[in-house]
Amino acid sequence: MSRRHPMACFSAAVLIGSLITTGAALAQPAPEDFYNILVNNSNLDQEPGESWAWHAASSMGHFTKAYEAWGDTAWLDQAVRYYDFVIGHMREGPDGYKGWIGPYIYDNEHWVDVHIGDAILINPMLEFARIVKADPELDAQYGEHADRYVALAEQHLFEKWDERGTYHDDGRYGAYQMWDHYADPDDLSQWHHRPEVRNSNLGQPQNKNNSMGIAALRLWQITGRDEHLDRAVKVFSLAKSRMQRYEDTLTWNYWEPTVRTDITGERGNPSRHWINVHPYRNYQAGEVGEVVEAYHAGIVFDETDIQRIINTNLEVMWNGDRDDPQFTNSNAHLVPDGLDDEVTAGALWSALADFNQTIRDLRSFADNSRGQIDRAYFENVTATREPSFTRHHAPDGQPVRLFDRPLDGSTRYLYMALTIPSTIAPGDEMVIGVRSHAAGELEVAVYDQAGQQNVHTIYAGPLSAGWQSEQYWTWDGRDDAGAPLPPGDYRIRWTLSDDGYREAPVTIRSAP
């Protein structure tokens, strides 16, 4: 039998009385009916794999959202049922690790489990565990389930992908790449090394890397283990380092090279994937939600970052019409000739409602059970707090570990500026890349830590526009005279004529 329970965590400012009073005005769907809708989704009538995972995960987080909205533990009961259903579709791979092994989404002749499939299915379970473990009464009732989900994540998400060699630690950053081992559909007894299969070893797109970061973040909040905090900080620091600032706005690409093998060096096709804001899928809305969760936990992002993202959504993307709000892509103000008509990924970034009243005013909700839950969460949780930059989940409300990369630069046209890796030892090489919406004269230079003195010029010359602008150079930590620079922190600065500049921190380590 379910019971009404005050919201377990993260919303201590919400009075129980106001929760129940407001909740009474919002009819909630029957939790068991919601469970049945999810398990009877016809899109799940296929073998597990990435495609199956996307469908199975699409409303999975709404069980805990409904619990927080109404305080009814029947939602947690049905969450456990659904998680059992999802876990029941896992298969054990030849190396002993479990996952949702099935057709590879880019070539279904090969079967495999993938990072994003694991993350988007395990993350809602970790949200459940985070809520349960923060409340002794809930822990007494659901703690064994929560512990099982945490163990699942630690072994069959993080340990698994680390053991498979897909995580790259770059000191201040962390990045995952896709795997290159596959099984045959009729034989799951062995993995086959097949790097020739499409997208094998490709660095993960932003949304997939971030989903692994969310798993690490939630594990840290549940367990307190520093290795999970470190992983979350490094993954989200990479995401922040790739954001393009133009005046008081921020945007970022769907994909950029994150590991050396992403760069082919081929003439006319120097990297393995297209680079831009996604033109027709609003991945950025979900990525903003992940940034907001990281902010609330006190890691990587600060108030200025969040305000600039709000500015992008309201001052660049929104048409300003409250009666008929329409949105364009986040890079609409950056492209010289404007966006093509088929670009349709713009959307309200509703995760920003914690901070801004206009975002709240523009919220709308679907006319279905999922929409009912979204509305109830908004009215019973979000709207009970005034918009502010208060960090809801950080210990004592204070930042834990921010990433303070140089952000003085502003550029309209340099929409990619990266280093791989960002730290090198004497004798190592760093790859430095760029892309631009407009042609011009480009300087790529190494500056001291303060950004005051140019200590080495890597490139000075013409730069084309668009895909033809993509270029990469290597730098071995030496100055213009060929002498090794002292170990320490430096900045790479990309400066485009008649535009502006971008910067990234780099480090030369001491010899081992």
Side-chain angles (χ1 to χ4, degrees), residues 135-448:
D135 184 299
E137 194 174 347
L138 290 178
D139 193 23
Q141 185 173 357
Y142 299 101
E144 289 185 8
H145 299 292
D147 292 341
R148 183 160 64 102
Y149 307 145
V150 169
L152 180 72
E154 292 196 311
Q155 182 177 4
H156 298 288
L157 184 63
F158 284 101
E159 180 184 311
K160 177 175 74 175
W161 291 114
D162 283 3
E163 287 295 316
R164 291 176 176 178
T166 67
Y167 177 69
H168 295 262
D169 190 313
D170 176 24
R172 59 174 57 85
Y173 304 137
Y176 288 89
Q177 67 180 133
M178 299 181 191
W179 205 29
D180 59 4
H181 285 62
Y182 305 87
D184 295 324
D186 56 353
D187 181 11
L188 299 184
S189 66
Q190 58 181 324
W191 292 122
H192 303 278
H193 184 215
R194 294 170 178 166
E196 72 281 0
V197 174
R198 180 185 171 191
N199 286 346
S200 293
N201 297 316
L202 183 72
Q204 298 282 3
Q206 183 91 286
N207 67 312
K208 297 184 178 183
N209 213 45
N210 285 3
S211 291
M212 295 294 291
I214 288 295
L217 177 61
R218 292 178 183 176
L219 278 174
W220 166 64
Q221 291 175 314
I222 297 164
T223 69
R225 292 174 56 183
D226 288 342
E227 59 263 40
H228 297 313
L229 172 62
D230 187 64
R231 183 68 55 93
V233 167
K234 289 181 177 181
V235 167
F236 281 107
S237 292
L238 175 66
K240 181 173 175 176
S241 77
R242 300 302 178 84
M243 290 181 169
Q244 176 187 354
R245 177 192 168 197
Y246 178 52
E247 296 178 341
D248 282 328
T249 67
L250 289 175
T251 190
W252 56 94
N253 295 317
Y254 167 74
W255 181 91
E256 291 181 3
T258 57
V259 293
R260 287 181 180 269
T261 51
D262 288 338
I263 300 168
T264 66
E266 297 175 5
R267 183 176 178 84
N269 189 31
S271 60
R272 297 181 58 201
H273 195 284
W274 56 269
I275 300 168
N276 215 325
V277 174
H278 206 292
Y280 54 88
R281 291 184 179 170
N282 62 343
Y283 290 111
Q284 285 188 323
E287 291 158 8
V288 169
E290 292 161 337
V291 167
V292 167
E293 183 167 343
Y295 174 85
H296 279 313
I299 68 167
V300 178
F301 300 96
D302 61 21
E303 182 176 328
T304 299
D305 300 324
I306 299 298
Q307 185 59 60
R308 285 172 175 161
I309 294 172
I310 293 171
N311 294 344
T312 302
N313 199 213
L314 294 182
E315 298 175 14
V316 175
M317 301 170 65
W318 178 40
N319 65 353
D321 190 334
R322 289 177 178 265
D323 296 324
D324 183 25
Q326 302 292 327
F327 293 84
T328 189
N329 275 27
S330 63
N331 60 340
H333 61 323
L334 305 178
V335 182
D337 298 325
L339 299 176
D340 296 334
D341 291 340
E342 64 267 21
V343 170
T344 57
L348 178 71
W349 290 343
S350 57
L352 299 169
D354 286 337
F355 315 104
N356 183 273
Q357 185 60 49
T358 301
I359 298 287
R360 296 184 179 194
D361 296 342
L362 295 174
R363 283 296 317 261
S364 62
F365 303 94
D367 188 20
N368 54 29
S369 55
R370 176 172 166 152
Q372 285 179 274
I373 295 169
D374 287 334
R375 178 183 290 276
Y377 184 88
F378 175 75
E379 295 189 10
N380 293 354
V381 180
T382 304
T384 60
R385 302 180 289 237
E386 291 296 321
S388 75
F389 289 95
T390 300
R391 296 180 187 266
H392 297 152
H393 309 168
D396 301 321
Q398 299 303 310
V400 178
R401 279 176 58 185
L402 300 183
F403 174 50
D404 227 0
R405 74 176 175 94
L407 257 180
D408 295 335
S410 169
T411 170
R412 176 181 177 185
Y413 298 129
L414 296 177
Y415 68 102
M416 184 188 82
L418 59 82
T419 68
I420 302 175
S422 70
T423 62
I424 56 173
D428 292 343
E429 284 190 334
M430 176 183 297
V431 177
I432 297 165
V434 71
R435 261 198 180 209
S436 176
H437 288 302
E441 291 295 311
L442 176 72
E443 180 187 76
V444 183
V446 183
Y447 279 74
D448 62 7

